């Protein structure tokens, strides 16, 4: 390397370091030390050198924030750790109940548990992955398990480090955070749009999300986006007994912006006090928040608490009270839902509520309309419940115009013209058209094909709409009669896509009784209730024949759900559809329930590690069939732990607490004995480690 080349490389490295430091001070610390002119001068000089010497360009150079070519489309990115949603609390009593649940699960005093509290930013959630300190990928949250790869767009954000600061970056780091737009930047952006006769954004959250999904990163680069980190999802090497607040401090050292409002508090009193204080500051923060995120601070305790189906037990989101605005109710339309529910929807004069332009709001049902005393033409107060769902909160009767008119519920379905019925003691009116109503048909098919139901890959919303509108599919059974040749005639459905969909439909025929029950879309029957019904009755025939009294004997099934299930299976067209599905080849393994004592009633069991002969879910189902409750963490009350290969901390804790431990061979032998009715078998006789 010549002396000139060496000097040029040194200059490049110096310019990059100065620009990275300027970005960090401006976008993370809010403490700029370079003028805009000085920054631009350095950036132009670096661009000049790199354009003449492309061999010096690196992926983490500040010049690469705006130079990527437009994307042809965003690839799917599967999150290594799901980006789960949080359960919500809407008042202080629910906050205190959350803290009590945490304390009870950990068997600790409430006041002794440290919680980390920070604002719940109202923007677009994204994930960033770094290897050896360099940004290698970025993705949207998506459905929590799969997002869109938007690495080029995220590189344009100067608050996103292209390379981690410091000399010893972790081998792997995945950082989660929110991309937001401040109030001042949002107003300035909209003012420019008005001057240019361009689109004006409705609110900062939508503007942030839309900016991130621009196919041309150069457009994203023009938007005033800021990334604020709120979680370390993965880090290698493992931080051990670290805390969430400690990891946030480390992220600041690495060059990330984190919340200046983050605090660690003790117990319920500290959590409630923080939420009160942040609520009072909400309007002066300069950016949108819709609540507070509360997390157990110690990562070790987080792992012990574990997760429920789609949310962690160690965190909760406290939602601030809804903000309200007044507007005029111009009209009411009636929509038909998946179960035939007729929902009146208020058409409003558009109004901004909590930063979102609202032009529609739910009126729920006829009882709610009567309670509100609302009429078309009224001035009404609109509230966004939990800052999400617009609702008509009340009527300002003194502003009622002389030409206001009553809201009249239709007698016939606005979609299929079937009779509308309202059952005694029910607030909701329903279309009686069932699967014959196109509105219900589409929604029923979407539910039937959804991931947690039959999980028919490739059968999306638009395709279902097209199939129903062409009258190719009237019931779920018709899906399984579709031919690839016919499907290939649909827009954007070529030969390969059609063959893939037919193959997916064929795979979906082999399912489970739980999924099938859930897929039927019976009112009030979610995944957990479907699983309880499947375990209790064992066969679909037994379930369909069950009377209400028998249904009420199932865990999680009360009189209302029992009535819905009983009514569903007494409808001839529902029976006919089920028979048709079975005739089309849908099948699942059924095991008739044998009348015998359940030896594990009242016991709590835990499974950990990898089992060779079955999945953990299958082991869980067999334990539940014997009456056991299956938990995710070990405590003094645990009756037994099933430890497969690579069992970790749960096994250690069980041994510390003296909880009986079964290896897989002993577990299988014990299951066989219990299921054969040998209730006297002692789980400690074999396999204890």
């Amino acid at each position: 390397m010549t002396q000139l080349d060496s000097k040029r490389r040194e200059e490049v490295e110096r310019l990059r370091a100065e620009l990275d430091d300027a970005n960090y001070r401006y976008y993370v610390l809010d403490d700029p030390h370079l003028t805009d002119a000085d920054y631009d001068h350095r950036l132009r000089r670096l661009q000049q050198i790199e354009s003449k010497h492309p061999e010096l360009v690196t992926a983490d150079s500040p010049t690469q924030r705006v130079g990527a070519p437009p994307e042809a489309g965003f690839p799917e990115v599967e999150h290594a750790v799901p980006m789960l949603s949080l359960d919500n609390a809407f008042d202080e009593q629910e906050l205190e109940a959350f803290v009590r649940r945490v304390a009870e699960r950990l068997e600790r005093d409430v006041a002794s548990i440290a919680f980390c509290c920070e604002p719940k930013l109202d923007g677009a959630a994204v994930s960033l992955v770094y290897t050896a300190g360099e940004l290698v990928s970025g993705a949207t949250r998506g459905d929590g398990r799969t997002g869109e790869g938007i690495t080029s767009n995220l590189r344009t954000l100067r608050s996103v480090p292209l390379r981690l600061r410091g000399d010893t970056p972790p081998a792997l780091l995945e950082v989660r955070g929110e991309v937001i737009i401040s109030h001042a930047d949002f107003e300035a952006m909209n003012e420019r749009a008005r001057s240019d006769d361009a689109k004006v954004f409705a609110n900062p959250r939508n503007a942030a999300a839309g900016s991130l999904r621009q196919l041309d990163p150069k457009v994203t680069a023009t938007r005033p986006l800021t990334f604020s980190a709120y979680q370390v999802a993965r880090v290698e090497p493992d931080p051990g007994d670290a805390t969430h607040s400690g990891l946030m401090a480390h992220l600041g050292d690495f060059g990330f912006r984190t919340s200046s409002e983050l605090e660690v508090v003790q117990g319920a009193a500290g959590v409630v006090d923080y939420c009160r204080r942040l609520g009072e500051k909400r309007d002066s923060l300069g950016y949108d928040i819709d609540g507070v995120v509360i997390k157990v601070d110690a990562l070790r305790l987080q792992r012990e608490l574990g997760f429920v189906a789609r949310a962690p037990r160690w965190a909760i989101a406290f939602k601030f009270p809804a903000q309200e605005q007044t507007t005029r109710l111009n009209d009411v339309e009636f929509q038909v839902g998946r179960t035939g529910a007729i929902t009146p929807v208020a058409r409003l004069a558009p109004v901004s509520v909590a930063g979102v332009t609202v032009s529609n709001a739910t009126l729920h049902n006829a009882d709610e309309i009567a309670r509100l005393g609302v009429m078309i033409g009224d001035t009404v107060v609109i509230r966004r419940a939990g800052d999400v769902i617009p609702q008509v909160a009340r009527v300002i009767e003194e502003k009622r115009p002389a030409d206001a008119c009553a809201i009249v519920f239709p007698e016939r379905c606005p979609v299929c013209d079937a009779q509308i019925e309202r059952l005694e003691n029910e607030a909701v009116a329903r279309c009686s058209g069932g699967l014959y109503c196109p509105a219900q048909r589409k929604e029923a098919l979407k539910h039937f094909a959804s991931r947690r139901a039959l999980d028919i890959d490739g059968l999306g919303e638009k395709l279902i709409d097209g199939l129903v509108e062409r009258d190719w599919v009237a019931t779920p059974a018709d899906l399984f009669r579709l031919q690839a040749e016919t499907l290939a005639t649909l827009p954007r459905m070529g030969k390969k896509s059609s063959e893939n969909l037919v193959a997916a439909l064929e795979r979906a025929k082999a399912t489970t009784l739980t999924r099938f029950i859930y897929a039927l879309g019976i009112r009030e029957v979610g995944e957990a209730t479907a699983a309880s019904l499947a375990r209790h009755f064992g066969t679909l025939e037994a379930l369909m024949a069950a009377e209400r009294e028998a249904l009420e004997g199932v865990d999680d099934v009360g009189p209302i759900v029992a009535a819905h299930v009983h009514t569903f299976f007494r409808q001839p067209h529902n029976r006919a559809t089920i028979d048709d599905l079975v005739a089309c080849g849908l099948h699942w393994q059924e095991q008739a329930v044998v009348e015998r004592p359940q030896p594990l009633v009242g016991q709590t069991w835990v499974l950990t590690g990898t089992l060779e002969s079955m999945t953990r879910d299958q082991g869980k189902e067999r334990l539940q069939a014997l009456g056991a409750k299956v938990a995710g963490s070990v405590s003094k009350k645990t009756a037994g732990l099933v430890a497969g290969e690579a069992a970790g901390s749960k096994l250690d804790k069980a041994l510390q607490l003296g909880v009986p431990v079964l290896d897989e061979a002993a577990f299988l032998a014990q299951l066989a004995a219990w299921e054969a009715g040998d209730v006297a078998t002692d789980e400690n006789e074999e396999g204890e480690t």
Side-chain angles (χ1 to χ4, degrees):
M1 181 184 296
T2 68
Q3 186 176 8
L4 179 61
D5 289 338
S6 178
K7 287 184 177 180
R8 187 178 294 118
R9 186 175 296 276
E10 287 175 3
E11 183 182 8
V12 165
E13 291 174 354
R14 176 180 58 78
L15 289 169
R16 287 174 182 166
E18 290 175 352
L19 290 167
D20 283 340
D21 187 63
N23 285 330
Y24 175 68
R25 289 176 176 272
Y26 187 95
Y27 293 100
V28 177
L29 298 183
D30 290 329
D31 183 27
H33 73 298
L34 286 182
T35 66
D36 289 347
D38 287 337
Y39 182 94
D40 290 340
H41 173 74
R42 286 167 170 77
L43 182 61
R44 281 197 299 271
R45 175 58 181 160
L46 180 59
Q47 288 171 332
Q48 288 171 357
I49 297 174
E50 290 183 348
S51 65
K52 293 180 180 178
H53 303 277
E55 71 276 6
L56 298 179
V57 177
T58 60
D60 60 348
S61 172
T63 63
Q64 300 306 297
R65 291 189 183 277
V66 295
E71 298 279 354
F74 298 116
E76 285 192 352
V77 174
E78 186 173 353
H79 298 299
V81 177
M83 296 182 72
L84 300 176
S85 56
L86 298 179
D87 287 333
N88 293 325
F90 292 93
D91 55 41
E92 292 180 2
Q93 290 73 29
E94 292 182 357
L95 270 182
E96 291 166 348
F98 162 71
V99 175
R100 284 197 303 273
R101 288 196 300 273
V102 168
E104 289 169 1
R105 287 184 180 277
L106 295 175
E107 298 181 348
R108 291 175 174 235
D109 180 70
V110 168
S112 70
I113 302 173
F115 293 87
C116 189
C117 302
E118 56 191 302
K120 185 175 184 295
L121 300 176
D122 195 10
V126 299
S127 177
L128 305 170
V129 177
Y130 293 78
T131 58
E134 183 176 342
L135 175 65
V136 293
S137 70
T140 64
R141 180 183 184 276
D143 64 4
R145 297 187 179 278
T146 304
E148 293 177 309
I150 55 168
T151 309
S152 296
N153 288 358
L154 287 168
R155 284 182 177 276
T156 70
L157 276 64
R158 291 192 170 93
S159 50
V160 171
L162 300 182
R163 175 169 288 278
L164 301 180
R165 294 172 68 86
D167 298 326
T168 56
L172 171 70
L173 178 68
E174 181 176 355
V175 179
R176 305 275 170 81
E178 203 86 359
V179 174
I180 62 172
I181 299 177
S182 71
H183 292 163
D185 286 338
F186 178 74
E187 291 303 323
M189 184 172 65
N190 267 352
E191 188 59 37
R192 289 194 299 271
R194 294 186 191 98
S195 300
D196 298 336
D197 289 326
K199 175 185 176 182
V200 175
F201 291 96
N203 57 71
R205 181 185 65 242
N206 288 358
S211 298
L212 287 175
R213 299 189 71 255
Q214 294 294 315
L215 292 179
D216 187 350
K218 292 181 181 179
V219 177
T220 305
T222 66
R223 305 286 170 78
L225 303 172
T226 299
F227 175 77
S228 182
Y230 61 64
Q231 184 190 10
V232 172
R234 291 184 293 158
V235 61
E236 294 177 6
D238 191 309
D241 286 337
T243 61
H244 171 72
S245 57
L247 290 181
M248 290 299 98
H250 283 309
L251 289 185
D253 297 335
F254 289 145
F256 291 97
R257 186 188 190 102
T258 59
S259 176
S260 60
E261 303 294 332
L262 183 147
E263 284 184 28
V264 177
V265 301
Q266 295 295 130
V271 169
V272 169
D273 176 66
Y274 178 92
C275 292
R276 288 176 181 170
R277 288 187 285 113
L278 191 66
E280 292 170 358
K281 296 172 64 175
R282 181 185 187 187
D283 293 337
S284 64
L285 291 174
Y287 49 85
D288 282 350
I289 65 173
D290 56 5
V292 177
V293 175
I294 301 105
K295 301 174 183 174
V296 173
D297 197 31
L299 301 190
R300 177 175 56 83
L301 298 183
Q302 289 184 10
R303 290 191 290 268
E304 185 173 342
L305 288 163
F307 300 81
V308 291
R310 287 183 293 276
R313 289 194 179 98
W314 42 265
I316 200 165
F318 175 71
K319 305 303 287 287
F320 286 135
Q323 297 181 0
E324 299 180 342
Q325 293 289 348
T326 59
T327 188
R328 185 179 187 275
L329 193 157
N330 291 327
D331 199 3
V332 174
E333 295 180 4
F334 295 88
Q335 295 182 346
V336 185
R338 177 175 62 85
T339 61
I342 308 296
T343 302
V345 177
R347 304 303 186 194
L348 308 165
V351 61
S352 179
V353 186
V356 174
T357 300
V358 174
S359 55
N360 304 314
T362 180
L363 286 167
H364 296 292
N365 51 54
D367 287 351
E368 181 68 2
I369 290 173
R371 184 189 69 80
L372 291 168
V374 63
M375 300 178 70
I376 295 173
D378 273 342
T379 297
V380 294
V381 175
I382 301 301
R383 179 176 63 212
R384 292 179 62 212
D387 284 352
V388 177
I389 305 170
Q391 297 178 336
V392 176
R394 60 185 184 277
V395 176
I396 304 177
E397 292 191 17
E398 57 267 29
K399 293 188 176 182
R400 176 168 288 165
D403 61 350
C405 58
I407 299 170
V408 179
F409 245 74
E411 295 184 355
R412 306 194 73 82
C413 173
V415 175
C416 72
D417 200 41
Q419 187 72 32
I420 290 177
E421 298 177 336
R422 182 177 176 184
L423 301 179
E424 188 177 354
N425 299 323
E426 280 200 2
V428 179
R430 297 183 185 278
C431 165
S432 62
L435 292 174
Y436 300 101
C437 177
Q440 295 177 71
R441 187 181 304 159
K442 288 182 180 180
E443 292 307 312
L445 289 168
K446 292 171 190 175
H447 176 76
F448 184 84
S450 64
R451 179 173 297 178
R452 292 183 175 84
L454 266 289
D455 192 18
I456 303 173
D457 187 31
L459 188 59
E461 182 173 333
K462 290 184 178 179
L463 181 54
I464 288 174
D465 289 344
L467 294 172
V468 172
E469 287 162 6
R470 288 168 174 77
D471 290 326
W472 291 357
V473 174
T475 74
D478 291 336
L479 293 170
F480 299 96
R481 300 187 181 95
L482 294 170
Q483 300 295 317
E485 295 78 6
T486 304
L487 290 167
T489 64
L490 290 170
R492 297 181 296 279
M493 279 290 289
K495 181 174 183 293
K496 185 65 175 176
S497 297
S498 302
E499 291 173 348
N500 288 343
L501 178 56
V502 170
L505 285 162
E506 188 64 29
R507 289 194 300 271
K509 290 180 181 179
T511 184
T512 66
L513 181 56
T514 294
R515 281 180 173 268
F516 184 78
I517 294 169
Y518 175 66
L520 293 175
I522 305 170
R523 289 177 58 201
E524 308 290 344
V525 176
E527 294 172 80
T529 302
S532 295
L533 290 168
R535 284 197 304 270
H536 186 91
F537 290 102
T539 68
L540 182 63
E541 289 74 13
L543 173 60
M544 291 194 297
E547 298 296 336
R548 292 193 185 188
E549 294 77 11
L551 290 164
E552 289 181 32
V554 179
D555 289 342
D556 303 326
V557 175
I560 294 176
V561 176
H564 291 326
V565 174
H566 185 266
T567 300
F568 180 89
F569 287 120
R570 293 302 175 278
Q571 303 304 308
H573 65 271
N574 291 334
R575 291 258 189 171
T577 298
I578 291 169
D579 290 343
D580 204 5
L581 285 166
V582 173
C584 287
L586 265 76
H587 61 280
W588 50 87
Q589 186 175 0
E590 293 183 329
Q591 183 176 345
V593 175
V594 179
E595 293 294 335
R596 62 169 181 259
Q598 292 184 303
L600 305 187
V601 169
Q603 294 186 21
T604 299
W605 282 70
V606 176
L607 296 103
T608 188
T610 302
L611 302 177
E612 293 184 2
S613 60
M614 66 183 76
T615 66
R616 288 226 301 264
D617 283 343
Q618 290 170 333
K620 176 180 178 180
E621 290 176 1
R622 292 179 70 175
L623 284 169
Q624 288 173 330
L626 292 161
K629 177 183 177 183
V630 179
S633 59
V634 176
S635 71
K636 294 177 182 177
K637 299 177 182 178
T638 303
L641 174 80
V642 178
E645 289 294 324
S649 60
K650 293 178 186 177
L651 175 58
D652 295 337
K653 185 169 183 181
L655 294 173
Q656 290 172 7
L657 296 176
V659 172
V661 177
L662 301 182
D663 62 17
E664 184 169 359
F667 177 53
L668 292 173
Q670 190 66 78
L671 277 178
W674 282 326
E675 290 168 351
D678 185 359
V679 298
T681 302
D682 184 0
E683 63 264 27
N684 293 313
E685 287 180 358
E686 295 183 62
E688 189 168 332
T689 60

